[in-house]
Amino acid sequence: MNWDQIKGKWTQFKGKAKEQWGDLTDDDLDRIEGNRDQLLGRIQERYGIAKEEAERQVDNLVQKHQLSLWMQCRLLPTTGVKLCVARADWCGGLFRQRGPRGCFSHI
């Protein structure tokens, strides 16, 4: 997922950012409006961390957000097995078993 896609889904991503960096205010996130450099700068300022660390944290959150957009998991109540389903255009890695609407894996 590239940053243009994050900008397009900023409202969704903003909630994840608020969870990750609780010291960022709603006003901060509204002003950032999906601008990666502004997000990095605000994280550095609020948390007193280096740019490289802020970039690492943002990149990790983007990866997690990407997974949440492309994959859904749930615990199967009768077996206790966690079943994850991914969209067909994101199959790979753990998702080797293909079905008619995508792919799935037991974790």
Side-chain angles (χ1 to χ4, degrees):
M1 173 175 280
N2 65 39
W3 198 258
D4 286 336
Q5 291 170 310
I6 292 293
K7 285 173 86 171
K9 298 182 183 299
W10 182 245
T11 303
Q12 293 173 357
F13 188 78
K14 198 165 54 167
K16 300 286 185 189
K18 183 74 172 162
E19 289 175 20
Q20 176 78 26
W21 301 288
D23 288 350
L24 295 179
T25 65
D26 291 332
D27 191 46
D28 289 333
L29 294 168
D30 288 341
R31 286 184 182 157
I32 290 167
E33 292 182 356
N35 183 303
R36 187 174 193 274
D37 290 334
Q38 286 185 21
L39 177 60
L40 291 171
R42 197 58 62 130
I43 292 167
Q44 287 176 262
E45 178 184 300
R46 289 278 195 265
Y47 291 92
I49 60 176
K51 182 178 181 179
E52 294 78 18
E53 176 59 20
E55 287 174 334
R56 187 190 67 74
Q57 290 182 17
V58 167
D59 290 345
N60 285 342
L61 185 61
V62 167
Q63 284 183 321
K64 288 178 188 175
H65 184 65
Q66 178 181 0
L67 285 176
S68 71
L69 292 175
W70 294 92
M71 179 177 74
Q72 301 263 332
C73 294
R74 68 183 173 113
L75 193 61
L76 300 176
T78 55
T79 62
V81 171
K82 188 174 185 181
L83 177 68
C84 296
V85 179
R87 286 180 29 176
D89 56 349
W90 200 71
C91 294
L94 289 173
F95 303 99
R96 298 189 194 288
Q97 301 170 345
R98 288 187 172 270
R101 294 189 182 142
C103 49
F104 62 94
S105 177
H106 293 88
I107 297 179

